[in-house]
Amino acid sequence: MIMIAPQDEPAPGNIKVTRWDWINLALRTLISDGIESVRVLPLGQKLGVSRSSFYWYFESRQDLLDQLLAHWRDTNTRALVERAQRPAESIIMGVMNVFECWADERLFDPRLDFAIREWARRSDDVRRAIDQADNDRLGAIRDMYRRHGYDDEDAFIRARVLYYMQIGYYVLDLKEPVEARVSHLAAYLRSFTGQEPSNAHVAHFMRFIAAR
């Protein structure tokens, strides 16, 4: 899971936990047990502190939930959009930039994404946030294809195929190791770009996998 690193923050004298402890435990709880389990009293009991610690950092439970949603936007969506926008010498390199998110959960946490989608079933506001994130992600991938010469419709469909395929992997909860998937890397690149990847392309991505 993508954790929030501690930063400087005001705190009362002899404090046991920080704001980031509350947020990280809330993220873990959201992923493991769902949004209904993200509640102040049980979280405080797990952290061994009283409610007063919570209200030092957050105005309300909704404030905490809003920060969980902001964290998801600032990690999963930002990483995917950034990599789709990254300059690349070819569409094959561009697609491999996006593949970095699928291959490294420090960049894109699929369990968090799935938990947010489950939360959206119970909240219209979160549903709208999901829709906006999907549009932003798809738009960035579509524009990546456009930059490499694909016409509007082709870029739109290829972006959908690339993005929805990966989201489908997560929804189906497929237990395929990254190493197994990258053994088919050349075929995936051929399917997503219509171009033939070179051995150098494959070697480039394998170096990324090895360096994770």
Side-chain angles (χ1 to χ4, degrees):
M1 186 185 78
I2 303 169
M3 304 292 285
I4 297 180
Q7 299 179 16
D8 292 339
E9 57 184 12
N14 187 25
I15 192 165
K16 291 184 177 180
V17 300
T18 67
R19 176 172 177 266
W20 313 106
D21 293 324
W22 282 99
I23 293 177
N24 284 324
L25 178 57
L27 285 168
R28 291 195 299 270
T29 303
L30 172 65
I31 290 169
S32 63
D33 301 320
I35 192 62
E36 291 304 317
S37 295
V38 181
R39 297 196 174 275
V40 178
L41 183 57
L43 294 178
Q45 290 172 340
K46 290 180 180 178
L47 290 169
V49 296
S50 67
R51 289 189 181 190
S52 61
S53 169
F54 177 85
Y55 290 108
W56 179 265
Y57 298 118
F58 308 98
E59 294 182 359
S60 62
R61 175 176 181 261
Q62 187 59 51
D63 183 19
L64 172 63
L65 299 186
D66 290 344
Q67 294 192 43
L68 298 185
L69 201 58
H71 171 71
W72 164 74
R73 291 191 197 98
D74 290 342
T75 53
N76 282 17
T77 297
R78 178 176 291 179
L80 184 52
V81 169
E82 186 276 326
R83 276 157 180 77
Q85 293 175 341
R86 186 180 290 176
E89 64 184 28
S90 68
I91 187 57
I92 289 176
M93 293 297 293
V95 169
M96 287 196 297
N97 285 340
V98 173
F99 278 3
E100 291 182 5
C101 294
W102 312 150
D104 190 344
E105 292 187 5
R106 293 171 300 178
L107 300 174
F108 186 100
D109 187 336
R111 293 168 298 171
L112 177 58
D113 223 61
F114 185 78
I116 298 292
R117 291 178 190 280
E118 284 296 303
W119 180 6
R121 297 176 185 272
R122 298 167 176 81
S123 168
D124 291 340
D125 288 342
V126 179
R127 178 71 261 173
R128 285 189 287 271
I130 284 281
D131 291 343
Q132 184 62 57
D134 285 337
N135 287 338
D136 291 345
R137 297 169 186 183
L138 278 166
I141 298 171
R142 177 203 61 208
D143 290 346
M144 176 187 72
Y145 279 106
R146 282 175 171 171
R147 290 196 303 275
H148 290 280
Y150 294 80
D151 66 34
D152 288 349
E153 184 175 25
D154 201 8
F156 173 69
I157 295 302
R158 286 181 184 275
R160 280 187 154 198
V161 171
L162 174 57
Y163 180 63
Y164 290 155
M165 181 278 296
Q166 188 61 38
I167 295 301
Y169 254 80
Y170 298 146
V171 171
L172 291 172
D173 196 25
L174 296 177
K175 304 297 185 183
E176 184 180 40
V178 169
E179 290 74 16
R181 289 191 73 184
V182 298
S183 69
H184 304 294
L185 177 61
Y188 277 117
L189 290 170
R190 193 180 304 117
S191 296
F192 292 135
T193 67
Q195 299 181 13
E196 188 65 33
S198 67
N199 291 337
H201 288 131
V202 174
H204 172 85
F205 196 75
M206 295 307 292
R207 286 194 294 272
F208 172 80
I209 295 295
R212 288 178 306 156

